[in-house]
Amino acid sequence: MTIPIPSPPALPFLGHITQIDAEIPQKTFDLLADQYGEIYQLNLITRHTIFLASYELQDEVSNDKRFQKTVVGALEEVRNGTGDALFTAYPGEPNWGIAHRLLIPAFSTSKVRDMFPEMTDIASQLLDKWERFGPRHVIDPSADFTRLAFDTITLCAMSYRLNTFYSEQTHPFVQAMADFLTESAKRANRPPILNSFMRGSNAKYEEDMKTMNQLVEELIEDRKKNPTDKEDLLNLMLNGVDQKTGQRLTDKSIRQNLLTFLVAGHETTSGTLTFALYYLCKHPEAMRKLREEIDEVVGEGTLHLEDVPKLKYMSACLRETLRLNPPATIRVIRSVEDTTIGGGKYAIAKDAILAIITGKCQTDPKVWGEYAREFKPERMYGENFDNLPPNAWQPFGYGMRGCIGRPFAWQEAHIALARVLQKFDIVMDDPSYTLQLKQTMAMKPKGFYIHAIPRKRMSVPVAVSLSGPLAGATNGTRKSSSEASEENAEPKQKLYIVYGSNTGTSQTFAQRIASDAPSHGFKARLGTLDSISEHVPTDGPLIIVTASFEGEPADNAAHFFDWLQSSKGKEAEGVKYSVFGCGNRDWARTYQRVPKLIDALLEERGGKRLHERGSGDAQTAEFFQDFDEWEAQLWKALAKEYGFEAKEQKASVNGISFKTVDSDISRAAVLRQPDADLGRVVENRLLTSPNAPEKRHIEFLLPDSMTYRAGDYLSILPHNPPRDVHRVVSRFALSAEQQIVLASEGPTSLPVGKPINIFSLLSGYVEISQPATTRDLRSLLAVESSDATKAALEDLSASYAEKVMGPRLSILDILEDHVDIELPFATYLEMLPPMRARQYSISSSPLHDPQRPTLTVSVVEAPALSGRKEQFLGVASTFLASLRAGDMVQLAVRASAATFHPPEDVSVPMIMFAAGSGLSPMRGFLQERAAQKKAGREVARSTLFFGCRSPEEDYLYADSDLKEWQELGIVDVRPAFSRRPEESEGCKYVQDRAWKDRAIVHEAYDHQGARFFTCGSGKMAQGVKKMLTEFIKESRNCSDEEAARLFERAIQGRYATDIFE
């Protein structure tokens, strides 16, 4: 007996058309698949479509006798330009058969092999361009791969050179084609009557088709004027005779098929190459393996045709790229007869339209495992690929209507990728970039920019913008403030400072060293660790500041770390270096793992350690003091090595100066235009009672190109509380509206060389509330003040942990307490660390709304530990609390660890531990499961252990979401009330409640395959870990040591944490 095919609620007359994302329709189809599962149906006004999203269904309908390709929706609109050409012909149209039989020989393996010289010719033009612009040039790989693919198809198939690499402007065809495809997709998702009224769009649509056809006519006319005997695609079209019918292609069919090859022949290949570079940049181990293969097969010589099939790991990388991001995102078929699919579960009527969501079918966990969305080329290597189930990998379509240009695209992609990675090290312009998409007919990465650094050369770290960690990349050459200031700097000994940082602390320390460098006789260059991968500088000392994150490197250090670990010779010979590591002893097993390994391996590989490795524990009061003391000794070591006179730290080290531009009291109105990094606040509401610490629910509207997964972070670039900004302004007797221009001798995170008012400068560029460091105290002692004040400062230095770090005494606090300290404002600015972006766990699921993530935020406002009258205000939480609906915020989505997402298999339950705002990601997980349950899927019941004060004060979402989801049957909430334990089974904390209900935990782990998640403070997380270890000890009757070992083994792949302080 069949069951109904689920469908989302629809509107009368309009059906589901209003639910389709206007910019990226595919995003809607994917999210509905996540919600409804393997099959659902939509009413899209002009067509009723059944969507398939599992391997089993894709395999079943890959049968040309039961299901045939059909042309509907966007593809049907594309027929306005391509008619009955190969890609858009209706089944049975005679011109398709003629063209198919005539043109298949042009893309045979032997013919494609003959195109190798032309393909390498165009690839060389790409390499020449990247080399000519240099390593600091910001490259848009999507644009350049489009040029590559466009020039390649015209040269190889039509013997015509477009020479787009010799023009600054994009060829008119490319832009017209992109606009034509985009509009075709939009027309397919509009009511037909609406299309007829859109005169402007229709006129542009016609003009785009005219522009595209102009190139087609130009190619045909050129061939007629300059005939050739070469049996290329164009000659086959013009002169070929179909052996079956004896017919030639009509002039109209020639134009339409030529246009089809120009579109399909370059749009998909350029997207695949861009996605491949993105995944390789994000996965340094895969990048290393591929580079090693290229070096082994090709070396430094010329790539030959016989080398291509030897690049087996490259094939695996490209296959995996095509699995995750197939160029044709949907394959549409029509049922030949009344039938059923899914083992008889779903009835399919004759002529029913079915849309196979290729990307979803190719990431089905039943075939690809729990981490099906992760990039793992090994599953596509050798026998692993050969042993895949039938029809599990279909990026080029299926059957008679599959892509006939597959051999062409496959060889072209191998040549381009091999040549690029043979010649260059590729690093992302923004190491924290996570994939965003844009869609015409095919998908491509949006906002993905790179640097191409020639291999085997002296390294110059790629400069990065430190003042705007969320600033989006732009195409073209960009100068950072670091570069601008260096142009006028006096020649000094080079000093390279590189960092690995996710949260900003290591970057801040690196910036401090760079700021201090000029006063010690060094000319500093600042960059990420990845910017020196494979070419560590030897013409100046190298200072590395890096962190460990649960034993793994930061995102912008992963490539360097992988390269260094895999190196075997004397790659660091001639390198003089020193390392400072940041870490957290809460993770004792992996504490300082990355800095330790880098320090040891650089020495093993021939480097010379100039100064002993330093280390700092972020959980201790001495963290900043440890760095300051290490840095002071570092300068002495460098002075000794390079023959400089050792200098005491001065109050002013970087030569910051400023001049007043406008002393008028009026405020300069500076309007900020929305860009890709601006989100809008939709809602900001209080969740807690007046007598409880404030927690808020904040909803944002993301830019169109940005999306997220449940468990991801929203990174917010905040402003300092206005109260604290005004405190600084008052202390230095300035006007908040006064405009200044900053200048600097060395790299700085401050906005140099342009007017800025003091309020904006203090609000957005520096951290005002951070505790003063021992170096800051030395700087204050170096300027004029009374003897009593100097004695007080000496006392603070002597008891730093107790009197400064413990009470979080800031520079501003000290200056207000001692008004006689004559500290110049410019010196104060350079003492402050740069503003950091803060990451918050998203508390919603894209299945609820893909463009509107929410945050659940604890607002930090508490008595100052220093005893000052003013309350201590958390920078980011105060900023977020002040936002109102309509406010624009600079933000970005940051991916969480691969394990910190709800299981793809909805039958797998979750055991979640959270306290306070640590509920945030768990709410997102449960909201996702609730959407899937409402869509008709069988969802496992999860358990949430949640800690707060009391039911009336801060039991977040208790009467709304949590109540609804418990009634829905997707979660069992087990609260722990620290101030009302009598109402939570006598349990005060999360770990207490979990221990009391440990039978539930045992059942979920041993018999249900549950996944475990913890989010909260380090103290809470340690409590949960201790509880789970005790549980193992009790159940296994073993020692503490054995229980700890068993815990580490038990959590592999099944326990993920998100810890904050």
Side-chain angles (χ1 to χ4, degrees):
M1 184 175 178
T2 61
I3 61 175
I5 297 173
S7 180
L11 294 175
F13 306 110
L14 294 176
H16 300 101
I17 205 73
T18 59
Q19 299 179 28
I20 307 301
D21 188 282
E23 298 299 321
I24 312 176
Q26 188 61 39
K27 182 165 65 177
T28 302
F29 303 142
D30 288 346
L31 289 171
L32 288 173
D34 287 340
Q35 183 174 355
Y36 286 90
E38 67 175 355
I39 189 169
Y40 64 90
Q41 55 187 329
L42 298 178
N43 176 6
L44 301 176
I45 300 182
T46 59
R47 62 201 184 277
H48 189 94
T49 305
I50 299 169
F51 289 81
L52 310 181
S54 73
Y55 161 70
E56 289 178 354
L57 293 181
Q58 174 177 262
D59 180 44
E60 184 172 358
V61 301
S62 296
N63 184 329
D64 284 338
K65 294 181 180 179
R66 296 177 63 197
F67 303 93
Q68 293 183 348
K69 174 178 175 174
T70 191
V71 177
V72 296
L75 205 55
E76 192 164 34
E77 294 294 335
V78 173
R79 278 180 64 97
N80 294 321
T82 61
D84 58 0
L86 282 173
F87 192 47
T88 50
Y90 294 130
E93 285 191 298
N95 276 340
W96 177 85
I98 296 171
H100 192 259
R101 288 187 292 272
L102 277 175
L103 301 180
I104 272 190
F107 293 103
S108 66
T109 301
S110 61
K111 288 291 185 184
V112 169
R113 287 171 63 88
D114 291 342
M115 298 175 187
F116 182 83
E118 288 90 346
M119 289 183 176
T120 54
D121 180 343
I122 302 301
S124 295
Q125 293 181 31
L126 170 74
L127 302 183
D128 290 344
K129 177 186 176 182
W130 288 7
E131 187 169 40
R132 184 169 66 251
F133 278 96
R136 295 188 179 281
H137 180 69
V138 179
I139 296 169
D140 179 351
S142 179
D144 279 348
F145 283 141
T146 295
R147 293 174 189 261
L148 172 98
F150 195 37
D151 282 15
T152 300
I153 187 67
T154 54
L155 180 60
C156 293
M158 300 145 205
S159 304
Y160 188 87
R161 287 188 180 272
L162 284 171
N163 292 324
T164 62
F165 283 111
Y166 298 96
S167 172
E168 290 296 324
Q169 303 300 320
T170 301
H171 194 283
F173 178 96
V174 174
Q175 189 59 54
M177 180 211 67
D179 293 344
F180 167 74
L181 294 176
T182 300
E183 180 61 18
S184 293
K186 290 181 177 179
R187 288 165 68 89
N189 292 323
R190 295 191 198 115
I193 192 170
L194 182 60
N195 284 327
S196 63
F197 286 107
M198 302 187 70
R199 296 180 179 177
S201 296
N202 290 337
K204 175 67 166 58
Y205 194 58
E206 294 293 331
E207 186 62 30
D208 289 335
M209 285 191 284
K210 181 179 177 181
T211 299
M212 292 190 295
N213 279 308
Q214 282 176 349
L215 176 60
V216 171
E217 296 289 354
E218 180 182 325
L219 291 168
I220 294 173
E221 187 63 27
D222 178 78
R223 176 57 55 90
K224 290 179 178 178
K225 289 181 179 179
N226 303 286
T228 176
D229 294 332
K230 185 177 181 181
E231 292 185 5
D232 61 11
L233 182 76
L234 185 52
N235 262 0
L236 284 173
M237 288 186 183
L238 291 170
N239 306 317
V241 178
D242 178 28
Q243 296 298 312
K244 182 176 180 179
T245 64
Q247 296 180 24
R248 295 175 180 268
L249 288 174
T250 64
D251 289 346
K252 181 179 180 181
S253 186
I254 290 172
R255 289 195 301 271
Q256 291 174 339
N257 275 289
L258 199 56
L259 182 58
T260 295
F261 281 106
L262 287 172
V263 172
H266 88 272
E267 174 77 351
T268 55
T269 305
S270 61
T272 298
L273 285 168
T274 309
F275 278 121
L277 270 194
Y278 166 76
Y279 287 121
L280 289 167
C281 285
K282 279 293 192 180
H283 297 83
E285 183 178 359
M287 177 75 90
R288 174 180 57 80
K289 289 180 179 178
L290 179 52
R291 188 182 290 115
E292 288 175 352
E293 179 179 77
I294 294 169
D295 290 347
E296 180 181 343
V297 173
V298 187
E300 297 185 25
T302 303
L303 178 71
H304 298 289
L305 177 61
E306 56 269 22
D307 294 330
V308 174
K310 299 175 184 176
L311 297 171
K312 298 184 184 301
Y313 191 74
M314 177 177 290
S315 296
C317 290
L318 289 170
R319 288 176 187 139
E320 182 72 345
T321 297
L322 289 166
R323 183 183 73 84
L324 294 170
N325 295 98
T329 56
I330 284 181
R331 177 164 65 92
V332 184
I333 55 178
R334 190 184 298 270
S335 179
V336 174
E337 59 188 5
D338 290 341
T339 188
T340 62
I341 61 174
K345 283 193 295 185
Y346 311 113
I348 305 297
K350 181 181 180 180
D351 292 327
I353 299 170
L354 294 85
I356 304 162
I357 308 175
T358 308
K360 281 295 175 186
C361 296
Q362 292 185 166
T363 53
D364 188 335
K366 291 182 179 179
V367 174
W368 307 98
E370 177 62 28
Y371 301 112
R373 299 190 194 190
E374 297 299 306
F375 180 78
K376 295 183 177 180
E378 285 71 20
R379 60 175 136 220
M380 291 294 190
Y381 188 83
E383 290 184 354
N384 291 338
F385 180 72
D386 297 336
N387 294 332
L388 288 176
N391 301 310
W393 188 73
Q394 289 189 347
F396 294 103
Y398 173 82
M400 287 291 291
R401 296 298 296 266
C403 175
I404 70 169
R406 173 177 174 173
F408 180 93
W410 198 239
Q411 180 170 292
E412 177 189 12
H414 277 72
I415 291 170
L417 195 55
R419 296 292 306 279
V420 165
L421 297 183
Q422 180 195 30
K423 183 87 171 179
F424 300 105
D425 286 325
I426 304 298
V427 297
M428 293 196 294
D429 181 54
D430 176 8
S432 63
Y433 171 84
T434 53
L435 189 61
Q436 299 176 24
L437 299 172
K438 58 184 177 182
Q439 182 173 8
T440 51
M441 285 292 283
M443 304 287 284
K444 290 185 179 181
K446 179 179 181 180
F448 174 55
Y449 301 97
I450 61 172
H451 295 271
I453 306 172
R455 294 180 65 186
K456 297 182 175 66
R457 60 183 293 275
M458 184 57 62
S459 167
V460 179
V462 176
V464 294
S465 172
L466 298 175
S467 58
L470 296 184
T474 55
N475 191 17
T477 303
R478 303 187 301 181
K479 265 183 193 173
S480 68
S481 58
S482 308
E483 295 173 70
S485 61
E486 285 176 8
E487 289 179 358
N488 299 318
E490 295 179 4
K492 297 179 180 179
Q493 168 64 50
K494 290 180 181 179
L495 172 67
Y496 298 95
I497 305 115
V498 291
Y499 59 87
S501 180
N502 279 353
T503 62
T505 303
S506 294
Q507 179 179 326
T508 297
F509 286 161
Q511 174 63 61
R512 285 194 174 190
I513 298 171
S515 297
D516 293 346
S519 69
H520 292 276
F522 291 91
K523 179 180 180 179
R525 298 200 70 92
L526 188 64
T528 65
L529 265 168
D530 279 350
S531 69
I532 62 167
S533 182
E534 287 207 37
H535 35 70
V536 185
T538 57
D539 60 337
L542 173 68
I543 310 303
I544 296 172
V545 185
T546 191
S548 279
F549 296 89
E550 298 188 42
E552 297 300 321
D555 292 343
N556 51 17
H559 281 271
F560 174 83
F561 189 65
D562 182 77
W563 166 76
L564 188 60
Q565 283 189 296
S566 62
S567 60
K568 300 177 177 63
K570 293 295 181 181
E571 289 86 350
E573 193 164 12
V575 176
K576 299 178 180 180
Y577 72 95
S578 186
V579 178
F580 184 87
C582 301
N584 187 321
R585 285 191 188 274
D586 282 350
W587 286 267
R589 185 170 57 87
T590 58
Y591 179 65
Q592 295 283 337
R593 174 178 177 266
V594 172
K596 285 178 180 177
L597 274 173
I598 290 176
D599 183 55
L601 287 171
L602 282 175
E603 184 177 43
E604 287 180 20
R605 303 295 178 261
K608 176 184 177 182
R609 185 183 295 107
L610 293 176
H611 180 48
E612 289 301 310
R613 176 178 57 85
S615 63
D617 180 2
Q619 291 304 300
T620 66
E622 295 80 16
F623 184 41
F624 290 94
Q625 182 178 358
D626 288 342
F627 172 77
D628 287 344
E629 292 174 354
W630 176 85
E631 187 197 3
Q633 295 303 313
L634 170 70
W635 292 121
K636 292 180 181 178
L638 291 175
K640 180 180 179 181
E641 179 71 22
Y642 290 92
F644 294 163
E645 181 181 349
K647 300 180 181 181
E648 291 297 321
Q649 185 69 47
K650 295 183 179 179
S652 177
V653 295
N654 198 29
I656 288 286
S657 62
F658 72 90
K659 62 180 179 180
T660 300
V661 174
D662 182 8
S663 58
D664 196 280
I665 60 172
S666 64
R667 184 185 302 276
V670 179
L671 300 176
R672 297 173 71 182
Q673 296 297 317
D675 57 30
D677 294 317
L678 286 179
R680 181 164 59 85
V681 178
V682 176
E683 180 188 23
N684 189 341
R685 60 184 169 91
L686 186 66
L687 294 173
T688 47
S689 68
N691 57 330
E694 184 177 335
K695 292 179 175 61
R696 305 192 73 88
H697 174 92
I698 309 173
E699 181 177 330
F700 297 89
L701 178 64
L702 294 176
D704 288 338
S705 62
M706 200 178 289
T707 188
Y708 68 98
R709 293 175 64 188
D712 283 347
Y713 302 106
L714 203 60
S715 184
I716 303 290
L717 187 62
H719 292 278
N720 282 305
R723 183 203 72 183
D724 292 340
V725 174
H726 284 295
R727 286 172 59 198
V728 178
V729 169
S730 299
R731 172 59 178 79
F732 287 95
L734 301 169
S735 166
E737 297 159 351
Q738 183 174 321
Q739 283 201 333
I740 62 175
V741 174
L742 296 171
S744 173
E745 291 181 8
T748 178
S749 59
L750 299 173
V752 297
K754 61 180 180 180
I756 186 170
N757 68 56
I758 286 177
F759 188 92
S760 297
L761 174 65
L762 293 170
S763 175
Y765 289 92
V766 292
E767 298 275 1
I768 293 174
S769 303
Q770 290 292 302
T773 67
T774 52
R775 190 187 78 161
D776 296 333
L777 295 175
R778 291 196 299 271
S779 296
L780 295 177
L781 279 165
V783 299
E784 290 297 322
S785 65
S786 66
D787 290 343
T789 293
K790 287 189 182 296
L793 293 174
E794 293 283 5
D795 181 55
L796 292 177
S797 296
S799 305
Y800 176 77
E802 176 189 353
K803 296 185 177 180
V804 180
M805 193 64 192
R808 295 187 60 85
L809 205 63
S810 69
I811 301 172
L812 178 59
D813 294 334
I814 297 171
L815 291 174
E816 288 178 330
D817 288 342
H818 303 280
V819 295
D820 59 321
I821 297 177
E822 297 181 13
L823 184 72
F825 179 62
T827 305
Y828 174 70
L829 280 181
E830 60 189 301
M831 292 169 70
L832 299 176
M835 177 63 73
R836 292 185 296 109
R838 272 71 166 179
Q839 291 189 160
Y840 290 89
S841 292
I842 294 174
S843 63
S844 59
S845 164
L847 300 192
H848 178 73
D849 192 320
Q851 292 303 116
R852 295 192 174 194
T854 63
L855 298 182
T856 304
V857 177
S858 293
V859 181
V860 180
E861 181 177 359
L865 297 175
S866 61
R868 299 180 62 81
K869 295 179 182 178
E870 300 93 348
Q871 293 278 93
F872 176 82
L873 303 178
V875 174
S877 64
T878 301
F879 168 71
L880 289 169
S882 71
L883 296 174
R884 303 174 61 181
D887 285 347
M888 304 303 292
V889 181
Q890 197 167 0
L891 49 75
V893 173
R894 294 283 177 257
S896 63
T899 55
F900 204 80
H901 298 286
E904 296 274 351
D905 185 348
V906 297
S907 67
V908 175
M910 298 177 288
I911 303 295
M912 296 165 284
F913 308 100
S917 59
L919 177 64
S920 190
M922 312 311 181
R923 179 180 182 269
F925 293 179
L926 292 172
Q927 189 178 65
E928 183 147 306
R929 286 290 176 91
Q932 292 164 331
K933 176 77 171 182
K934 291 176 182 177
R937 302 181 71 180
E938 291 296 324
V939 174
R941 186 183 186 92
S942 297
T943 304
L944 170 65
F945 294 99
F946 176 59
C948 60
R949 287 187 169 196
S950 72
E952 297 80 14
E953 292 183 80
D954 57 352
Y955 193 178
L956 307 181
Y957 306 106
D959 295 328
S960 53
D961 298 330
L962 293 183
K963 179 181 178 182
E964 176 191 343
W965 298 336
Q966 288 186 90
E967 292 172 351
L968 193 60
I970 66 161
V971 66
D972 177 15
V973 181
R974 302 277 171 146
F977 303 123
S978 61
R979 297 195 175 185
R980 300 275 287 279
E982 66 276 9
E983 296 191 32
S984 54
E985 306 286 337
C987 302
K988 289 186 67 174
Y989 302 115
V990 170
Q991 55 267 38
D992 301 332
R993 188 62 193 261
W995 178 258
K996 185 178 189 305
D997 296 330
R998 57 191 180 278
I1000 295 174
V1001 178
H1002 179 269
E1003 173 68 17
Y1005 184 86
D1006 278 356
H1007 304 294
Q1008 299 173 5
R1011 292 271 302 280
F1012 288 67
F1013 299 92
T1014 293
C1015 184
S1017 68
K1019 183 178 180 181
M1020 188 274 283
Q1022 289 297 318
V1024 170
K1025 178 180 177 180
K1026 182 179 178 181
M1027 178 275 302
L1028 292 173
T1029 305
E1030 284 293 324
F1031 170 68
I1032 292 173
K1033 179 181 177 182
E1034 178 190 72
S1035 61
R1036 300 296 176 87
N1037 192 25
C1038 60
S1039 66
D1040 290 341
E1041 294 75 14
E1042 179 67 8
R1045 187 184 65 79
L1046 290 172
F1047 172 79
E1048 293 296 335
R1049 189 173 69 182
I1051 64 175
Q1052 295 301 314
R1054 293 185 62 180
Y1055 183 46
T1057 61
D1058 186 8
I1059 312 303
F1060 57 82
E1061 293 300 331

